[in-house]
Amino acid sequence: MSIASPARLRRRIRPAGAIGLAIVLFWVVMAVFGPFLAPHGEGSVVSAQVLDASSRAALLGTDYLGRDMLSRILFGARYTVGVAALATVLASLSGSMLALWAATNGGWSDAIVSRLLDALISLPSLLFALVVVAAVGSSIPILVLTAAVIYLPGAYRTVRALAVNIVAMEFVKVARARGEGAFYIMRAEILPNIVLPVLTDFGLRFIYVVLLLSGLSFLGLGIQPPFADWGSLVRENIEGLAYGAPAVIMPALAIATLTIGVNLMIDGLHGRPGDPHGH
Amino acid sequence: MAPLVRLLMARLAVSLLTLLIVSVLVFMATELLPGDVAQAVLGQSATPEAVAALRAVMHLDQPAWLRYLTWLGGLLTLHPGHSLVNDLPVAQLIGSRLPNSLLLAGLTALVAVPVALVLGITAAVWRGGAYDRIVGLLTVSAVSVPEFLVATLAVLVFAVQRHWLPSMFYEMPDRSAMQLLRAFALPVMTLSFVVIAQIARMTRAALINVLDSSYVEMAVLKGVRPLRLVLLHALPNALGPIVNAVALSVSFLLGGVIIVETIFNYPGLAKLMVDAVTTRDMPLVQACAMIFCTAYLLLVLLADVFAILSNPRLRHR
Amino acid sequence: MSEQDPALSPTLDDADAATLQRMAGAGATRRALMGWLAAGGMGLTASGLVATQALAAAAETPKTGGSIRVAGYSSGTTDTVDPARQSLSTDYVRCNMFYNGLTALDANLTPQPVLAESFESADARVWTLKLRKGVEFHDGATMTADDVVYSLTRLQDPKIGSPARPLATQMTEIKAMGPQEVRITLATPNADLPVALGTFHFKIIKNGTTNFTTANGTGAYKCKEFAPGVRSVGVRNPHYWKAGKPYLDQIEFFGIADDAARVNALLAGDIQLAGGINPRATRQVKAAHGYDVFETRSGGYTDLIARLDVAQTGNADFVMALKYLMDREQMKRAIFQNYAVVGNDQPIDPTNRFYNPHLAQRPFDPERAKFHLKKSGIGATAVPLVASTAASSSVDMAVLMQGAARKIGLNLDIKQVPAGGYWSNYWLKAPLCFGNINPRPSADILLTLFFKSDAPWNESKWKDTKFDSLLLAARSELDLAKRKAMYWDMQGMIRDDAGIGIPLFLSNLDAHSARLKGLRPIPTGGMMGFDFAENVWLA
């Protein structure tokens, strides 16, 4: 039994990060097993009382049609967690790669990619989403792609703004002079030096995607009733806010815990010692 | 400064090209959408004859490319056309809304940007401490509550229960500064929630990133105090990403505030654009898209120029 | 005339009574009232008595003055003050403020004279309208027959694109017979012409008007500001031809599309009337002090449509299974908080004089549904069910039906589609979808528009020649009992054979400040058939 390893682990992940990780893990488990744990079906009406307070029959109260809120949230977990995570990873990953490539190469490739994505971000997202529904129909993969495309340019701009600062540094010039390839420079010289802001941007972007979903489902893109992501659950029960119905508060709490969890985890990850900090 | 001027000119030229591309894309998008303005105007009562008659009146029977070129020609001669839906000049419709949007975005930026910068910078100065944690938690919580929930809750508390502030915008008998301030309080608060979080978090991250780099570590070794370290050594080098985050936020404040405009009955451009898209009102959609695009391009150009000015190394690339 | 207190009538004539009430309503003291009465030649004792009565009645009688803000539920760039091109509730409110029609529909949907003092016809084909004298447009011009001819003819112009064009084209000749007389000739006899003239689009504008950036009508309010998608402001028309009306000095009208925001604006005191509130919000309104919910029962409905000309949804047993699968009581309670009346898959609602109360109510019966489903041979195939927020509450209805369907092994696959473009792209096109039908002023108009075999909006493409001939016969039948029997038969036919499921007739719900008085239900829509403007006052 080694004494060193728990200590190293503790240094790797700060307590806040551990809490974040625990929350995220909890919701991932719920996303996978939620539907099996749900006491009622996703669309079945269980009570004549709508927007009701918590009761023994409906632990988190009922929604605007008298459906069990706990079940609705559990069924919605996979849509919110799954779709948002996938879309964010897609947007951030492709946005970052493009940005690193553009920043490293500079010149024309940078200008062309930057301006093309400027054009993309200038397209109103409502128009974009409506065109997507009209042109290719509605399904979960399309929802993921749409959300990713809407947030890709933002990720690109953020990462590019960070990367150009690094590209101008001496050590990158040195690496270039050494004859290193563009990919090596991206991976070994630039990325490690901007990883915190990139991750922070990922965390924020994750929140935006979670919140975007409710807007897209409202347009009929992706998640179809009776299923609903958490943002839509908040939206459809908003009338209950005036008297504090759990139907509107609980899904909002679910969103808050998930997004805070993700961001805590990201902040915690950065506490890792041994990150290369420049040269 | 000569290279910078050259860069500016080049970027402005490219921006015009971007605008052209966007206008083509937007036009194609409106064409792709099912239904046209004639059907949208007639709604449920759109019989084939009625639609055909209205289409002819609106010149929708012309080929798409011709309509696009007509619109483009009009724009180049500063005549953005008439709304197909209500026949009012697009310039008039935009003219009545643009100042409102600029006012709301400006006021929000005025409140949110300084607060966000202070929060971000102080969090970076005392990073890892309790203050940093609390700021982090608060900012993430603020941005993770759906906008419509924040707005509705704010209205319930401050307007319905307490009657301190108006719940929405309406024609005020006398437009005193105090009344305007009261009317703007809730919308600006709602929007600030979103914007502060984004700018503060990116500011903190960018600063810490620079603080971790070798040359700042050198300064630490020399014994420079934390506040001085952040403001004088780190901030100039983190300015690029920070200004970028501000630019993205402000561009959101101009065009992405549909929820706030709807809930507070605020006559801004975002609602106008959504209306225009819903009714497939091409000249109006295009005009709004052009304005948002121009604003965005100017803001990011400004951010890029700022980044270059703040980082001497970038000037000679 | 319901606003007048009958107690005043024996001693004063109508005009005097009205003036007295206005004075009392405007806050005149008893002394001032008595002075006015004495000047009119009334003895002191009598005047004291009458003045006291007037003051007591003032609480319930109209009061002049004050201004209100009103929020409707939609507003956008399509907002118009062109009566011919109205398409949404927001337009109806606006045009009712600024214009008058020739007739108006009352609480029983009976046409009442407005700008036309009388409408007469011997054969229901050639109609003579006598116009009211001394009516002025807001610009001071006197209303004449030419204005009426222009307004009605304009509705027929295909270039205008008026939704009322199908109704207007039945008029083959519209002719001015003198400054105060118009003769209308119809293609075929129609006893309901005065009803049509009382609908929203048949408002009278000034001869030659082509510019609708502002409104120039004869209505109770003058257009002070009109900004599409922003607001409309009407100010009292001091020369309004109806004595004593309107009561308010100013109405500011706009749309707040967000349901919760509209109710909150009311409860915050920023508006005095919120149109079209969500039934779920009634609890919040009732819990607040000083606010009321105003219910208007009407014949409007959201219906399930199964296209009979498509193989799958045209299967009679499948359609019957769907009709038995609608748990109407559950829908009424869960979706509408009981602000609805259970329907029976036929479109004539209980407020209509031709409603058939003896038609057996179709129950929620999963067993019978299962029987029909089995017979239809649909099996476990997923059947797409198109719903949209455009057809109000259809998504919720779809969800409730889906739950019931699953229990009998029917797989309804809900497709929620964007509201924009719904009426052009899914309604009348998708094999299984929802429609949303606004109340119509007469059974004949409703059945002709939506159920006649060749009707453009024949939602389920139901074709029945016997129904068509009954409909035509009923239109020209003057014997009310016979006519009623025909409409009863038609209701049964639709209920059993058409591909339409009508679970409920929906109430229109508005919420208002308790200080706002004078609202009476008119079943053509909420907010008094959108004609509250000249009828309400602030207590």
Side-chain angles (χ1 to χ4, degrees), chain A residues 180-196:
Chain A
E180 302 287 0
F183 182 73
Y184 173 85
I185 293 178
M186 276 161 61
R187 190 183 54 80
E189 307 286 347
I190 304 175
L191 192 57
N193 284 298
I194 57 171
V195 75
L196 168 65

Side-chain angles (χ1 to χ4, degrees), chain A residues 42 64 219 224 226 242-243, chain C residues 280 283 396 402 406 416 418:
Chain A
E42 76 283 358
Y64 73 102
L219 292 175
Q224 289 290 351
Y243 33 93
Chain C
R280 293 195 283 280
R283 183 170 151 193
D396 293 336
Q402 186 189 46
R406 183 173 301 160
Q416 187 183 349

